[in-house]
Amino acid sequence: MHLLKQTLEAIRPTDRVVMAAAQKEIDYCLKPPGSLGKLEDIARQIAGITGKVHNAISKKAIVVMMADNGVCAEGVAMYPQDITRIGADFVTSGRMGVNFLANYAKADIIAVDIGIQVDVDLPRVLNRKIRYGTANFLKEPAMSREEAIRAIEVGIEVTNTAIDQGYDLMGTGEIGIGNTTASSAVLYAFTGANIDRVVGRGAGLTDEAFEHKKAVVQQAVRLHRPDPDDALDVLSKVGSLDIAGMAGTYLACAARRVPVVTDGLISNVAALTAMRLKPEAIEYMIPSHISFEPGAKLLKEITGLEPMIDMNMRLGEGTGCALVFSIIEAALRMIEEMGTFAAIGKSRDEIGDHIMAYRGKFPR
């Protein structure tokens, strides 16, 4: 608990003064104000995160948390739990979906066994196992509160190590059969929203299995009555180890002032969990894509994280993070490489005054 407490206490809001200075540099680039849209937002946000107007990315990594879920015993997943162990093998040998995208983005993958149901003896998998999968939360709590805290702290520790090694742009990913059910249960526990806004088909369930999945989520939350104002209570009763680990990654990045990219549904449920633990943590997150799962739209409304792309993706693993890393790097080049209004003899202050007047008449 000490590491979690220490990390939460270290998180501060992003630097608004530096963000304003970055915006001034962005506006001085030779273009109409706001014409590069979200690229401008990203450059400004990262300035506020790092405390520097001029930024460049040197090393990128996606932390992939891997764990099994006891609720699979209820028939809520199309695939057997053995797939999680196989996924651990494939992601470290370069054969998962995230691998070809990470290779393209020149990003590394940090694979973490935080709760696979069997022992994993793979040299490129970090063994940080909390337990051999969660319990079936339709029968009993998924884990203890202490285990939830330890799982979050695993995420913090792994991410802190990566940052110490020079990684300055992080992403989150997960592999675990049944984790869409766990993420739906966490989202339902936090929001109490209409179940059809929360639960999706995951990995291709039939209509009958889909209805059963929704019932399982509702029954589990009714059984355990997790406190929506206590993120650790929600996480321990109906959550998963990979969600907890990713929440730790978000918190560590916020504490260390490093930008972190969210992926799909499960990754964004972890983002919401981190936000409930420390609201300011959300300021350090950059959303990648909008998942095809219905809960993704609800999460966007709650967190305010506006995804950059819509590709009908729902694979997870950190695929969305890898896909948008290059967009983020492109955004940072704007201040460094674009020509400015100096070419026509205008100073920053002159352009700033002109833009202030323009935005007064036509506010964004």
Side-chain angles (χ1 to χ4, degrees), residues 172-174 178-188 197-203 213 242-243 246 250 262-273 288-300 303 307 313-320:
T172 59
E174 37 61 40
N179 58 11
T180 59
T181 302
S183 60
S184 296
V186 170
L187 182 56
Y188 187 61
R197 294 200 69 197
V198 173
V199 181
R201 290 182 183 271
K213 179 179 176 180
D242 51 353
I243 291 173
M246 288 187 289
Y250 292 127
T262 72
D263 188 32
L265 174 73
I266 302 154
S267 170
N268 278 282
V269 166
L272 175 60
T273 304
S288 60
H289 73 110
I290 182 78
S291 170
F292 195 64
E293 290 282 301
K297 293 181 180 178
L298 179 59
L299 282 162
K300 182 178 75 168
T303 63
M313 292 166 58
R314 54 186 175 88
L315 177 59
E317 302 176 11
T319 48

Side-chain angles (χ1 to χ4, degrees), residues 39-99:
L39 293 178
E40 299 188 22
D41 297 339
I42 292 166
R44 183 177 59 250
Q45 180 185 1
I46 290 182
I49 289 171
T50 65
K52 301 180 296 182
V53 171
H54 299 279
N55 291 282
I57 303 302
S58 58
K59 291 178 72 176
K60 308 174 285 284
I62 301 168
V63 180
V64 179
M65 295 288 177
M66 302 179 292
D68 279 303
N69 298 273
V71 74
C72 281
E74 300 301 325
V76 294
M78 181 178 177
Y79 296 102
Q81 282 195 280
D82 294 347
I83 296 293
T84 307
R85 166 62 180 81
I86 295 169
D89 182 11
F90 276 27
V91 79
T92 53
S93 59
R95 292 178 285 170
M96 288 295 276
V98 68
N99 292 106

Side-chain angles (χ1 to χ4, degrees), residues 329-347:
E329 291 185 279
L332 297 181
R333 293 197 175 195
M334 174 175 44
I335 293 175
E336 311 307 318
E337 298 182 15
M338 271 194 78
T340 69
F341 281 98
I344 57 173
K346 297 293 184 180
S347 70

